[in-house]
Amino acid sequence: MSRARVARRIAAGAAYGGGGIGLLGVAAVGVLVAEVQIAKRAVGIGAAPLPPGADGLYGRAFGPDTPLRLALLGDSTAAGQGVRRSGQTPGALLASGLAAVAERPVVLRNVALSGARSDDLERQVSLLLSQPLGPPDVCVLMIGANDVTHRMPPTQSVRLLASAVRRLRTAGAEVVVGTCPDLGTIEPVYQPLRWLARRTSRQLAAAQTIVVVEQGGRTVSLGDLLGPEFAANPREMFGVDSFHPSAEGYATAAMAVLPTVCAVLGVWPETDRPEPARRENVLPVAKAAAEAASQAGTEVTGVRAPWALLKHRRRRRLPVPAEPSAVTDPPPAPHGPRVPHTPRA
């Protein structure tokens, strides 16, 4: 069965409350369990430092404009586990990059939790929406890896993600989801677990894309954490525990997500026309989701049901983030009309 059909089945099962659809055959379970135990002993998860706090104001030099508000939700990848400085976390990288492109200050709020699965998203969304300033302008979610490793039924996983995206969109926030990373790139994981992990995580990523687009969000496929660098240089691109990304790895991921974050806020050149030279196309959403899961760094945006736009945005090098400034006073006018700011050439 093609990945597009499997992803559509998972998404349909989530929409209609179906049970878990097994992605792996029963005969593989014994081998998988044995390989998981070997991988757990090889991956030193306990060696990774706790994520450094990065909440605060970025781009203060851009003046007194009303800050854009950026929030991160999800698991340890969104939290930035594996690095030691706040400026190396994906939240800080995205906040400083967004401030540079929009030429406006950005307030970052990160509610991601290391080890979180999709069933923690309800708590994270409630925490964000309970803030006195209301919903953020844009939310970035990175979730799915722990759903795979803890064998959460994929229909349950994508149903919980769809609910979180729907709540954020209803509240008025733009949503960008970095889909489940390719767990087959983890260096201590050996065959056949590597093949099974890659297959399962890519199927989940495709199903996530379908439900996010249907709820009005956009996705960026994290895949092998965005680029052949991870396969070619795993010791450089992974952190000290050989599981979480290194500072360079997070920077690579943030560079791929940043253009989509900027586009949803109207501060990045946007076109509805695909560029054939960049292998962009308008496809049925399930097929677009499957193709995106196979090629890291691909954006999927809904056009009109059941069609979606597959985009390969040009990446931009990120500025080196300064340490975040504390936000002592609430930003003014949190819910005035959003006027896109066009960056100077």
Side-chain angles (χ1 to χ4, degrees):
M1 185 182 298
S2 69
R3 183 176 294 130
R5 291 184 62 188
V6 171
R8 174 53 74 186
R9 284 183 62 198
I10 295 171
Y16 295 105
I21 298 175
L23 297 183
L24 302 176
V26 175
V29 172
V31 175
L32 178 60
V33 170
E35 291 285 349
V36 165
Q37 297 307 315
I38 295 172
K40 282 182 177 179
R41 289 194 293 270
V43 176
I45 293 178
L50 292 176
D55 286 8
L57 181 67
Y58 293 79
R60 186 183 290 274
F62 290 112
D65 286 352
T66 302
L68 293 167
R69 285 172 294 125
L70 166 68
L72 259 72
L73 306 87
D75 55 24
S76 57
T77 303
Q81 185 163 355
V83 296
R84 300 185 183 277
R85 301 202 331 253
S86 61
Q88 297 172 327
T89 63
L93 292 165
L94 288 171
S96 59
L98 176 58
V101 174
E103 297 181 348
R104 286 176 60 180
V106 173
V107 173
L108 171 66
R109 178 82 166 103
N110 194 327
V111 297
L113 178 67
S114 293
R117 290 171 279 181
S118 293
D119 53 9
D120 192 56
L121 289 177
E122 182 178 4
R123 180 194 64 82
Q124 295 181 28
V125 171
S126 296
L127 183 60
L128 274 183
L129 298 184
S130 66
Q131 300 297 309
L133 293 177
D137 294 296
V138 59
C139 297
V140 176
L141 289 79
M142 297 180 182
I143 198 76
N146 294 312
D147 295 5
V148 173
T149 59
H150 289 78
R151 292 183 288 179
M152 176 181 285
T155 50
Q156 179 186 359
S157 175
V158 297
R159 181 161 57 244
L160 292 165
L161 175 60
S163 175
V165 174
R166 182 166 55 250
R167 288 181 65 194
L168 292 170
R169 293 288 295 137
T170 300
E174 300 289 350
V175 177
V176 177
V177 174
T179 55
C180 181
D182 183 352
L183 299 181
T185 60
I186 300 173
E187 192 179 26
V189 176
Y190 304 106
Q191 298 292 7
L193 180 58
R194 183 186 295 272
W195 178 84
L196 295 173
R198 171 166 286 129
R199 178 175 177 236
T200 305
S201 52
R202 287 188 177 185
Q203 287 176 344
L204 178 59
Q208 288 177 323
T209 296
I210 293 173
V211 299
V212 169
V213 169
E214 289 177 344
Q215 298 301 325
R218 302 191 190 195
T219 64
V220 178
S221 57
L222 295 185
D224 55 2
L225 288 181
L226 309 182
E229 301 97 329
F230 277 81
N233 303 298
R235 296 190 183 279
E236 176 185 345
M237 301 301 285
F238 284 108
V240 294
D241 62 356
S242 297
F243 185 83
H244 294 98
S246 65
E248 184 66 25
Y250 280 127
T252 304
M255 276 193 297
V257 175
L258 177 63
T260 302
V261 171
C262 294
V264 299
L265 294 175
V267 296
W268 191 275
E270 182 80 315
T271 176
D272 292 333
R273 293 184 178 181
E275 297 183 34
R278 298 178 60 81
R279 290 173 289 119
E280 298 180 347
N281 204 352
V282 175
L283 300 169
V285 64
K287 187 172 181 181
E291 290 201 15
S294 300
Q295 185 168 0
T298 304
E299 176 189 314
V300 179
T301 306
V303 180
R304 61 180 182 277
W307 301 95
L309 177 61
L310 195 76
K311 292 189 70 68
H312 302 290
R313 293 188 181 274
R314 293 177 174 86
R315 303 181 193 178
R316 174 170 177 165
R317 292 297 302 179
L318 297 171
V320 178
E323 291 300 310
S325 304
V327 181
T328 54
D329 298 315
H335 275 297
R338 296 177 184 170
V339 179
H341 179 88
T342 303
R344 292 190 294 267

